[in-house]
Amino acid sequence: MRTSPEFRRKLISVAAVSAALLTAAPASVAVAQETAPRPAPVPAAQTEAAPGTPAERLIVGYKSGATEAKSDKAAAADAAAKAEKTGEDVDFQRRLGTGAALVDLGTNPARADVADVVSQYQADPQVAYVVPDRLNKPTATPNDTDYGKQWDLFESTAGMNVPAAWDTTTGTGVTVAVIDTGYVTHSDLAANIVGGYDFISDTAVSVDGNGRDSNPADPGDWYNANECGAGIPASNSSWHGTHVAGTIAAATNNGKGIAGIAYGAKISPVRVLGKCGGYDSDIIDAITWASGGTVSGVPANTNVAKVINMSLGGGGACSTATQSAINGAVNRGTSVVVAAGNENTNASSSSPANCNNVITVAATNRAGSRASYSNYGSVVDIAAPGGETRTSTANGILSTLNSGTKTPSSENYTYYQGTSMATPHVAGLAALMKSANSALTPAQIESAIKANARPLPGTCSGGCGAGLADAAKTVQAVKGGSSTGTTFASTTAVAIPDNGAAIESPISVTGRSGNAPSALQVGVDITHTYRGDLVIDLIAPDGSAYRLKSAASDSADNVNTTYTVNASGESANGTWKLRVQDTAAQDTGTLNGWKLTF
């Protein structure tokens, strides 16, 4: 039996801090006892109007001395008068308990029409206020019994601000491939499991007695002392892939267990890790297949993943073979999220954390500082909760598991810690983003996650990337421009002086919600006798400049194209400007118009 660990990928541990991926041993599993649950947050109503949707009803408050404040007949007559002035449907409905009047504007009124009616009421000296009758809905606080233990999702200090993202998306329509130890049946996850594959080709590693097949069930990855190398102690089965999968997409609002970050998404279990670890070759094929590529001898994947989670790794440089598989997945539109590693060292020495085109995740503890075991450094892109159980098991990450020490037994829930636990937090966020905006590319997803991170509430020596991932802020940023496809345009032609001062064309953006998207589309139509002279910038409402085009050697006589800008750090509403300057003599042109598509 081949067990030499030098040629195997080591499981990124859910274990004690002393575990190291670069040693010959896969880390042992730390299984902690659950503590009594804290009360779950009380559901609350959130008042909001659907973004981009004009109000269909208004609440009009009249001044105390006005006849309309007391007489329904007078309020109805006033509504009829406003209808006559605007030409719109304006109908008094009823008196509210506060004395205000509820006014209906008909079905699907245009935004401009609503504005006209509001202006009429605002101009009326008898009116104290007029506000939209906004649609209220409950916040997405789940009823799962152990949700109160999931500090990593909701705590304001070190949590990832996930519940506020659920009002926008829950990950529906996205499949996440968990390339790991496979899946052991769990009732709090089963509804979100779709077909996967077992890619372990070596029967000494697979434990299940066979090679590759369509059954990704986890039979257990336990091993005896010295079985995986001299001096390596025995270890129980970890059920690692099931714990990771639960963090991403455990069933939610089912009155039991935990809540998954992207609980509307599906999990495709892809088994590559067994006894003592797993081979690069199997992992490479798994990456390819999960993202929709072709692997010889393996049936085509009918559950292609747009997000891959790899909570695994080993020492050394990213191999050309592994990098090729990752590049193929990304080129097919799949984001690859990987763990930074658990050695408390620079992640540049851990693969696939040091590969290109991946989102590398460091782990934070409940105080919002880098967890003591987490790798760090310039290859880290982002940090997420990974837990640390020095003082309490409740400071770890609670997720789905199994009580079997060797083979599967009864399902349960257990706290683990590690960058393995941080990684599925970001994979879950990527699934939320892709669900909110299906057009996002892997590069845009990575960029938006980093652009919308918040500073670590604690400390991070060595570098933890852009900060702590923030689900709600990130989802809002990418969703802001994708769901409605609203376009704001300027059709005013502006002459571009020859070798002169820059001209600016403004567009006023209103009625948007939150920040601009990470894939803001900027359409430009310019006629010019030598476009190589032109420098074009997008100016955000706060004055920040985004270079769209630099001066270059090209002779085409126009610029009629669309640029994509990551503007997720900018407020969507406000005055945006297109700035154009001719930087050389002898050529002139015109900015015919431009547009922003959110």
Side-chain angles (χ1 to χ4, degrees):
M1 179 175 70
R2 290 176 292 166
T3 59
S4 175
E6 288 78 9
F7 298 96
R8 304 232 177 117
R9 285 291 179 225
K10 299 301 177 288
L11 195 66
I12 285 187
S13 173
V14 292
V17 172
S18 60
L21 293 177
L22 297 182
T23 65
S28 60
V29 176
V31 180
Q33 296 298 315
E34 295 182 29
T35 57
R38 294 177 302 178
V42 177
Q46 175 179 339
T47 303
E48 62 179 17
T53 303
E56 293 184 351
R57 303 193 301 187
L58 300 175
I59 298 173
V60 181
Y62 290 95
K63 295 178 181 179
S64 59
T67 304
E68 295 87 348
K70 300 179 180 62
S71 168
D72 289 355
K73 184 177 179 179
D78 188 39
K82 301 294 191 290
E84 184 175 352
K85 288 182 179 179
T86 61
E88 307 299 335
D89 290 333
V90 187
D91 297 307
F92 170 80
Q93 295 295 300
R94 61 184 172 87
R95 182 78 55 180
L96 305 187
T98 59
L102 179 63
V103 174
D104 185 79
L105 303 181
T107 303
N108 297 322
R111 185 178 299 279
D113 297 336
V114 174
D116 287 346
V117 175
V118 169
S119 295
Q120 287 295 320
Y121 275 112
Q122 289 175 332
D124 189 335
Q126 302 302 317
V127 173
Y129 63 84
V130 55
V131 297
D133 186 18
R134 298 178 295 190
L135 181 65
N136 291 257
K137 59 183 179 179
T139 56
T141 301
N143 62 12
D144 303 76
T145 54
D146 287 333
Y147 174 71
K149 300 176 183 179
Q150 294 182 273
W151 63 268
D152 47 309
L153 303 192
F154 63 78
E155 276 194 357
S156 59
T157 299
M160 218 173 74
N161 198 16
V162 173
W166 290 333
D167 288 330
T168 299
T169 177
T170 62
T172 302
V174 178
T175 296
V176 181
V178 175
I179 298 180
D180 212 293
T181 64
Y183 165 67
V184 61
T185 302
H186 199 292
S187 64
D188 204 12
L189 188 53
N192 286 334
I193 297 294
V194 296
Y197 208 81
D198 181 356
F199 274 92
I200 301 179
S201 53
D202 189 328
T203 56
V205 178
S206 68
V207 185
D208 60 5
N210 54 45
R212 293 183 171 182
D213 57 42
S214 60
N215 181 10
D218 186 351
D221 57 356
W222 63 275
Y223 49 85
N224 295 317
N226 302 313
E227 191 174 3
C228 294
I232 299 175
S235 175
N236 291 333
S237 290
S238 68
W239 317 114
H240 186 269
T242 301
H243 196 281
V244 168
T247 296
I248 297 170
T252 302
N253 287 318
N254 62 344
K256 64 179 292 184
I258 63 165
I261 290 170
Y263 61 83
K266 300 299 182 183
I267 296 291
S268 174
V270 184
R271 187 168 182 252
V272 297
L273 300 175
K275 181 170 286 191
C276 305
Y279 285 103
D280 269 357
S281 55
D282 291 341
I283 295 169
I284 287 167
D285 279 351
I287 294 170
T288 302
W289 181 84
S291 59
T294 300
V295 176
S296 178
V298 179
N301 186 2
T302 58
N303 298 294
V304 174
K306 288 306 177 184
V307 181
I308 286 174
N309 186 103
M310 290 201 294
S311 292
L312 50 79
C318 179
S319 73
T320 302
T322 297
Q323 187 65 67
S324 177
I326 290 169
N327 290 348
V330 171
N331 289 339
R332 286 186 285 273
T334 299
S335 295
V336 181
V337 187
V338 305
N342 296 338
E343 298 81 43
N344 186 29
T345 191
N346 198 303
S348 61
S349 61
S350 181
S351 173
N354 55 14
C355 294
N356 296 322
N357 281 337
V358 298
I359 303 174
T360 300
V361 187
T364 55
N365 59 27
R366 197 164 181 172
S369 296
R370 178 173 68 86
S372 59
Y373 54 80
S374 177
N375 286 355
Y376 50 82
S378 60
V379 302
V380 172
D381 295 300
I382 196 70
E388 194 157 16
T389 58
R390 283 182 166 181
T391 57
S392 169
T393 57
N395 291 330
I397 305 300
L398 183 65
S399 190
T400 47
L401 214 74
N402 191 278
S403 64
T405 57
K406 291 186 177 181
T407 57
S409 183
S410 58
E411 66 178 44
N412 65 0
Y413 303 85
T414 303
Y415 292 97
Y416 276 177
Q417 64 175 30
T419 54
S420 276
M421 284 59 257
T423 306
H425 283 77
V426 176
L429 171 54
L432 292 176
M433 296 166 68
K434 191 69 175 177
S435 178
N437 183 350
S438 61
L440 290 175
T441 66
Q444 290 169 340
I445 286 174
E446 177 180 348
S447 178
I449 288 173
K450 294 192 286 190
N452 291 283
R454 65 183 193 270
L456 290 185
T459 61
C460 175
S461 57
C464 286
L468 182 63
D470 187 307
K473 184 179 178 184
T474 305
V475 167
Q476 185 59 46
V478 300
K479 169 256 181 186
S482 65
S483 58
T484 62
T486 302
T487 297
F488 298 82
S490 171
T491 57
T492 302
V494 183
I496 304 170
D498 182 26
N499 196 23
I503 59 99
E504 291 184 345
S505 173
I507 289 177
S508 179
V509 175
T510 60
R512 305 305 299 166
S513 176
N515 284 7
S518 62
L520 178 64
Q521 302 298 296
V522 186
V524 177
D525 181 6
I526 294 175
T527 301
H528 197 269
T529 53
Y530 193 84
R531 75 173 186 180
D533 293 348
L534 299 179
V535 174
I536 306 173
D537 293 296
L538 175 68
I539 311 300
D542 68 354
S544 298
Y546 296 82
R547 179 58 50 89
L548 304 180
K549 179 189 176 301
S550 300
S553 298
D554 54 50
S555 58
D557 62 358
N558 63 70
V559 179
N560 192 349
T561 191
T562 299
Y563 301 94
T564 300
V565 176
N566 179 6
S568 57
E570 306 289 346
S571 174
N573 290 330
T575 300
W576 296 76
K577 298 176 182 177
L578 191 74
R579 179 184 294 164
V580 184
Q581 184 173 18
D582 185 326
T583 60
Q586 299 182 345
D587 291 280
T588 59
T590 303
L591 169 61
N592 302 309
W594 68 290
K595 61 185 179 181
L596 293 170
T597 301
F598 287 79

